[in-house]
Amino acid sequence: MMNAAKNIELLIQFALKNHIIEKWDIVQVRNQIMEVLGVEEPFDGAIEEEIPDTPVPILNQLLSYAVESGLIEDTVTYRDMLDAKIMAQLMPRQSELIRTFNAVAETEGVEKATDFFYKLSRDSNYIRTDRIAKNEYWLVDTEFGNLEITINLSKPEKDPQEIAKAKELPQSNYPKCLLCLENVGYAGRLNHPARNNHRVIPVTLDEEQWYLQYSPYVYYNEHSIVFKEEHTPMKIFKKTFKRLLDFVEQYPHYFLGSNADLPIVGGSILSHDHFQGGHHTFAMEKAPIVHSFKHDAYPDVNIGIVRWPLSVVRLSSESKVQLIELADEILNSWRSFSDEEADIFAFSEEAGKRVPHNTITPIARMNQDGLYEIDLTLRNNRRSQEHPDGIFHPHQHLHHIKKENIGLIEVMGLAVLPARLKEELSLIEDVLTGCSEAERYEILQKHMEWINKLKKNYGTKLSKDKAEAVIQKEVGLIFKDVLCCAGVYKVNEAGYQAFERFLESIQCKRA
């Protein structure tokens, strides 16, 4: 009991140090956390321990106390629900947070305001920095610039008993999904994560109410989600471009993009309209223009084909209106565009229905010249007998590394690879150092063709460091091939000619 009371005081000191609370809040916060944990008496001594940089070590002590006291079961989900509830006692109400955010934006600028909000999201343990630190990350130099590779190790696996219990729970439609506003302050349950310590900032986009939040498992700096207040499905249309540019106009240090709105080429949540953004420069943004175009109806818009594995039209202009109008024209033209020579078909007949296949992944930013800029990535989700998962999707020979959908983050040049690869790649490194043989491991059988190629090219007497460098480089090159698969126009002369045919179909002419 004494240790729990002392750790409560440590947590309060952490919150004071990081300006989450003020001295006037101490008594109230202490009493609330004591109630949550069933602690009856506060700590009555001096705190001599150094205050940690994150609340995680203190929370872990409090959670262990809760397990020992029988307050919770010792599983990831129950621990997560309790630590979110504890941290919620320190968090400002929505109205207080919004007042502070707006005050900082007014006096110090919007970038300082997002710095404040991002720090709060980390300090409150809403962003799980301790788990994110487990992710593996490296860069690979390619002909398209430095591609970013991450192996996602941050999301903990659920206990099988938890999974069984969750299946027995009655179905609930509240919150409707993981993005809904109703997640703010929500206690969570076995099949829905706790969000007691979750807060959002209101943003007006095209005269509609949206909200800015951070992803609890960030893949890059200030990984943001901007979601619509109303629970409506994802849809790419003219208002999408207006919303994106409205946002980057208000937050010029952030980019903002949308997943495509069709299966296979879309994101994991298509049921709730949202965008993803952040304060990060991807390789795609740095990619140069290979061919420039102009359009007589939009004289103030620069148009270019980007040298990138996926097929990207880059538009930039001082004129927000012209940019939106041209982006909409390109979208609508692409929706119905077919080119048999390039194996692009906008529609197919399936079960007597006309099924659409063409859509766009758009990304907006304010560029270094202070112009509005939108990258329009042309997507097609058609499948074939040869490529049942998708013609413009990672092809089967690459599935041993990446078979998941190519969403917005991958489109821009960051591979989010599955956790299984940590062990598998480590074992392949052992093969290249001569410490082991691939045939011994069932989990390596899907990699055998690749492993044999690596052995032929590099041998099996590499040092451990060299083997690791080789694997990282080769995984990056596979990710490059994955992106090339997703490009509807290939990065060669025939591909550029086909790409130009599409742009000519909407009266774009070489500049």
Side-chain angles (χ1 to χ4, degrees):
M1 186 73 76
M2 180 64 73
N3 284 340
K6 187 174 183 180
N7 278 303
I8 291 171
E9 294 306 311
L10 274 170
L11 190 60
I12 289 170
Q13 292 303 312
F14 169 84
L16 286 167
K17 175 185 172 183
N18 288 281
H19 310 291
I20 302 173
I21 64 172
E22 298 181 23
K23 66 178 182 179
W24 318 111
D25 303 315
I26 292 174
V27 173
Q28 178 185 343
V29 166
R30 178 188 295 125
N31 288 336
Q32 288 174 178
I33 299 176
M34 285 171 58
E35 181 185 7
V36 169
L37 292 169
V39 174
E40 295 182 358
E41 295 287 338
F43 180 69
D44 187 22
I47 298 293
E48 297 177 355
E49 289 84 352
E50 186 176 345
I51 306 302
D53 293 331
T54 81
V56 173
I58 307 170
L59 287 170
N60 285 341
Q61 291 292 323
L62 291 173
L63 295 174
S64 295
Y65 163 78
V67 170
E68 291 166 8
S69 302
L71 292 175
I72 60 169
E73 295 180 30
D74 191 12
T75 68
V76 169
T77 302
Y78 282 115
R79 291 175 75 99
D80 282 359
M81 287 195 289
L82 184 57
D83 80 33
K85 188 173 184 179
I86 292 168
M87 293 307 296
Q89 312 312 311
L90 304 170
M91 292 293 286
R93 289 180 179 269
Q94 274 288 116
S95 56
E96 183 184 350
L97 169 67
I98 293 164
R99 278 195 300 272
T100 304
F101 183 92
N102 290 339
V104 174
E106 181 71 26
T107 57
E108 302 179 56
V110 71
E111 188 167 349
K112 289 292 185 182
T114 54
D115 287 347
F116 152 73
F117 184 37
Y118 190 59
K119 185 177 187 305
L120 176 66
S121 299
R122 290 165 61 94
D123 289 342
S124 67
N125 206 39
Y126 167 72
I127 295 176
R128 299 277 182 171
T129 53
D130 59 319
R131 294 176 184 171
I132 294 162
K134 298 175 184 177
N135 290 347
E136 299 204 348
Y137 175 88
W138 65 91
L139 296 173
V140 177
D141 185 23
T142 74
E143 63 199 272
F144 300 107
N146 282 332
L147 299 182
E148 299 173 85
I149 313 296
T150 183
I151 296 179
N152 180 18
L153 304 169
S154 57
K155 294 185 179 179
E157 293 185 13
K158 288 203 171 188
D159 184 283
Q161 292 183 348
E162 278 186 7
I163 296 171
K165 283 184 180 180
K167 288 180 179 178
E168 295 173 2
L169 291 175
Q171 289 296 312
S172 173
N173 292 318
Y174 183 87
K176 288 181 181 177
C177 77
L178 294 172
L179 292 178
C180 283
L181 179 62
E182 288 74 21
N183 284 282
V184 174
Y186 185 65
R189 54 183 189 269
L190 284 178
N191 57 3
H192 193 103
R195 292 290 183 259
N196 308 65
N197 52 347
H198 173 43
R199 299 293 183 268
V200 298
I201 298 294
V203 185
T204 300
L205 303 181
D206 194 25
E207 301 181 347
E208 296 175 333
Q209 189 62 67
W210 290 64
Y211 294 90
L212 167 68
Q213 68 169 73
Y214 292 107
S215 170
Y217 292 100
V218 295
Y219 289 129
Y220 50 85
N221 186 44
E222 296 178 48
H223 181 177
S224 315
I225 298 170
V226 178
F227 65 94
K228 193 175 182 182
E229 182 173 69
E230 185 182 358
H231 180 86
T232 55
M234 290 275 293
K235 182 182 179 183
I236 306 294
F237 63 135
K238 186 175 183 178
K239 287 173 73 69
T240 301
F241 308 124
K242 179 71 165 64
R243 293 162 176 167
L244 291 173
L245 293 181
D246 276 3
F247 181 86
V248 297
E249 190 172 44
Q250 296 173 64
Y251 296 84
H253 58 299
Y254 277 11
F255 77 89
L256 194 68
S258 175
N259 270 303
D261 55 356
L262 291 178
I264 298 177
V265 296
S268 58
I269 301 178
L270 296 177
S271 61
H272 194 135
D273 210 353
H274 70 285
F275 305 122
Q276 292 186 76
H279 198 179
H280 185 73
T281 302
F282 290 89
M284 178 180 170
E285 182 180 340
K286 301 176 186 176
I289 299 295
V290 287
H291 297 299
S292 297
F293 298 81
K294 296 299 284 186
H295 195 301
D296 290 343
Y298 310 100
D300 297 328
V301 181
N302 306 308
I303 308 165
I305 293 175
V306 180
R307 191 178 187 282
W308 190 244
L310 285 96
S311 307
V312 182
V313 182
R314 178 167 293 162
L315 309 178
S316 63
S317 180
E318 290 182 349
S319 172
K320 192 174 174 182
V321 173
Q322 286 193 27
L323 201 62
I324 291 166
E325 292 295 331
L326 180 53
D328 184 49
E329 184 170 331
I330 291 172
L331 170 65
N332 291 330
S333 298
W334 178 248
R335 292 267 194 208
S336 59
F337 183 80
S338 294
D339 184 343
E340 185 173 358
E341 186 178 341
D343 200 26
I344 295 168
F345 296 92
F347 299 96
S348 66
E349 294 291 328
E350 296 180 17
K353 293 182 178 180
R354 193 172 189 237
V355 179
H357 295 298
N358 286 356
T359 187
I360 277 176
T361 300
I363 302 114
R365 63 183 77 89
M366 300 300 297
N367 70 17
Q368 292 183 338
D369 297 321
L371 302 178
Y372 297 104
E373 187 167 278
I374 296 183
D375 285 349
L376 303 175
T377 309
L378 308 180
R379 311 298 301 274
N380 178 288
N381 76 343
R382 196 163 58 87
R383 292 180 284 190
S384 67
Q385 285 189 338
E386 182 183 1
H387 301 295
D389 297 306
I391 298 170
F392 305 107
H393 178 84
H395 290 172
Q396 197 159 1
H397 70 287
L398 305 172
H399 285 188
H400 65 106
I401 297 294
K402 176 74 173 176
K403 64 180 179 180
E404 297 80 12
N405 293 351
I406 302 304
L408 172 68
I409 295 172
E410 286 89 359
V411 163
M412 295 185 291
L414 194 163
V416 180
L417 301 180
R420 63 176 173 81
L421 286 176
K422 179 177 173 61
E423 180 184 5
E424 293 170 12
L425 296 181
S426 178
L427 290 173
I428 296 172
E429 288 174 19
D430 289 344
V431 172
L432 296 182
T433 60
C435 295
S436 188
E437 295 180 358
E439 290 77 11
R440 292 175 53 193
Y441 302 100
E442 179 65 30
I443 60 173
L444 294 187
Q445 298 315 299
K446 57 182 168 292
H447 296 288
M448 284 307 299
E449 184 177 342
W450 183 51
I451 291 171
N452 289 333
K453 180 182 173 184
L454 293 174
K455 288 165 65 176
K456 180 179 178 182
N457 291 340
Y458 299 101
T460 57
K461 296 182 179 179
L462 301 181
S463 68
K464 182 173 176 55
D465 288 346
K466 179 63 175 175
E468 181 181 20
V470 163
I471 291 297
Q472 289 187 349
K473 172 190 170 185
E474 293 293 334
V475 168
L477 295 178
I478 287 176
F479 178 55
K480 181 201 74 173
D481 291 343
V482 162
L483 295 182
C484 288
C485 288
V488 294
Y489 297 118
K490 303 311 173 188
V491 186
N492 53 39
E493 193 55 38
Y496 285 136
Q497 289 176 3
F499 204 151
E500 193 163 344
R501 286 199 298 272
F502 166 64
L503 292 176
E504 287 174 347
S505 75
I506 54 172
Q507 285 76 55
C508 290
K509 296 178 290 187
R510 282 281 192 110

